[in-house]
Amino acid sequence: MARPTRVSRALSQNFLADRAAAAQLARLAVPRPGKTPLLLEVGAGKGALTEVLAPRCSRLLAYEIDPRLVPALRTRFSGTPQVQVIEGDFLAVHPPRTPFSVVGNVPFSRTADIVDWCLRAPGLTDATLLTQLEYARKRTGDYGSWTLLTVLSWPRHEWRLVGRVGRRSFRPVPRVDAGIIRIERRRTPLLDAARHASWRHLVELGFSGVGGSLHASLCRAHPRRRVDAAYRAARLDRGVLVGEVAPECWLRLFEVLGR
């Protein structure tokens, strides 16, 4: 009998061991089986998620960075023609030129880098990622507050918290529960490309903290009367904290201040 592969702490490995959780993640990642032509899996691990994803898509590229796991993965899916197991770091991969989706039980320590890769990939249609629950809640506004990254990317990407997975669904068992984030690229961006630089400037200024409040920060670049008008358009109180401003309200601020 082959010895079980030891978990690599350096790779932040927590394998998904709950079949029901894997099936839930697969359904959320590919809601319409057969309608996803190309799917990239981040960190295939031992193949628990790969197994339930394979029947739902036309082609699945399963990336695994740990070379110890690759031979068993290739053997397991040798009879599944739509699955290609690729040894290597997902973050070093050039995004496909054709439309594609991403799914994965991502290493908690590499979540930010993987999300950034997805947001920069022009062909990405959606990403469904199993992350640390706190990260998922922060990025999707589930705490009632919003982060700079989410607001900046909002005109092009919608963020949603679509599920939760208890920590005992993993081996080894991590210290915290996980959340499932769904990031979808908008078919039609809320702002055109020519205005995106102005959007970034406004949002980064607002999150800068310069002046001690969002209102004061915005007044450093815009007349106070216009900032007041923007606040009225967004129905915001002057004392609102920057993290409490939802992306939709930022868009209303931009309608006035981004002219």
Side-chain angles (χ1 to χ4, degrees), residues 76-92:
R76 182 173 182 177
F77 296 102
S78 60
T80 311
Q82 69 267 40
V83 176
Q84 180 181 356
V85 176
I86 302 173
E87 179 181 341
D89 187 351
F90 175 81
L91 292 174

Side-chain angles (χ1 to χ4, degrees), residues 24-105:
Q24 177 193 17
L25 183 55
R27 288 193 300 269
L28 291 168
V30 190
R32 296 185 299 165
K35 300 295 184 181
T36 300
L38 178 58
L39 184 63
L40 276 58
E41 182 185 1
V42 187
K46 297 182 178 181
L49 180 57
T50 315
E51 183 176 39
V52 290
L53 287 171
R56 305 181 73 87
C57 61
S58 301
R59 187 179 180 209
L60 173 58
L61 304 182
Y63 290 88
E64 177 49 53
I65 194 174
D66 190 340
R68 302 171 303 167
L69 301 174
V70 172
L73 273 172
R74 286 179 174 160
T75 298
R76 182 173 182 177
F77 296 102
S78 60
T80 311
Q82 69 267 40
V83 176
Q84 180 181 356
V85 176
I86 302 173
E87 179 181 341
D89 187 351
F90 175 81
L91 292 174
V93 174
H94 291 292
R97 295 183 179 181
T98 56
F100 68 96
S101 301
V102 170
V103 62
N105 168 30

Side-chain angles (χ1 to χ4, degrees), residues 20-253:
Q24 177 193 17
L25 183 55
R27 288 193 300 269
L28 291 168
V30 190
R32 296 185 299 165
K35 300 295 184 181
T36 300
L38 178 58
L39 184 63
L40 276 58
E41 182 185 1
V42 187
K46 297 182 178 181
L49 180 57
T50 315
E51 183 176 39
V52 290
L53 287 171
R56 305 181 73 87
C57 61
S58 301
R59 187 179 180 209
L60 173 58
L61 304 182
Y63 290 88
E64 177 49 53
I65 194 174
D66 190 340
R68 302 171 303 167
L69 301 174
V70 172
L73 273 172
R74 286 179 174 160
T75 298
R76 182 173 182 177
F77 296 102
S78 60
T80 311
Q82 69 267 40
V83 176
Q84 180 181 356
V85 176
I86 302 173
E87 179 181 341
D89 187 351
F90 175 81
L91 292 174
V93 174
H94 291 292
R97 295 183 179 181
T98 56
F100 68 96
S101 301
V102 170
V103 62
N105 168 30
V106 301
F108 289 170
S109 65
R110 308 190 85 196
T111 301
D113 291 335
I114 291 168
V115 167
D116 183 62
W117 186 100
C118 291
L119 293 176
R120 288 186 288 106
L124 179 89
T125 57
D126 53 83
T128 309
L129 306 174
L130 190 56
T131 74
Q132 196 172 24
L133 180 59
E134 182 181 8
Y135 179 93
R137 296 191 67 189
K138 282 183 176 180
R139 291 296 187 216
T140 58
D142 194 57
Y143 284 126
S145 59
W146 301 85
T147 66
L148 172 61
L149 176 63
T150 307
V151 176
L152 278 176
S153 60
W154 194 258
R156 295 177 180 172
H157 298 87
E158 181 183 8
W159 298 65
R160 291 183 292 133
L161 176 64
V162 294
R164 302 187 182 198
V165 177
R167 67 189 189 95
R168 299 198 179 278
S169 294
F170 301 88
R171 296 293 181 274
V173 178
R175 295 181 179 180
V176 296
D177 293 340
I180 303 175
I181 289 181
R182 177 83 172 169
I183 305 172
E184 296 182 2
R185 179 181 290 273
R186 303 183 191 278
R187 292 186 177 182
T188 303
L190 302 179
L191 297 174
D192 58 46
R195 305 184 73 195
H196 195 74
S198 297
W199 168 261
R200 174 175 286 275
H201 176 74
L202 178 73
V203 175
E204 288 181 342
L205 175 64
F207 273 88
S208 68
V210 177
S213 69
L214 172 60
H215 190 277
S217 295
L218 297 179
C219 283
R220 292 178 61 86
H222 302 278
R224 181 178 297 274
R225 59 180 178 77
R226 286 188 64 195
V227 175
D228 288 342
Y231 264 58
R232 289 193 296 271
R235 298 183 179 180
L236 292 175
D237 184 90
R238 278 189 54 173
V240 68
L241 300 177
V242 64
E244 296 173 344
V245 180
E248 294 83 357
C249 293
W250 275 103
L251 287 166
R252 297 190 189 103
L253 290 174

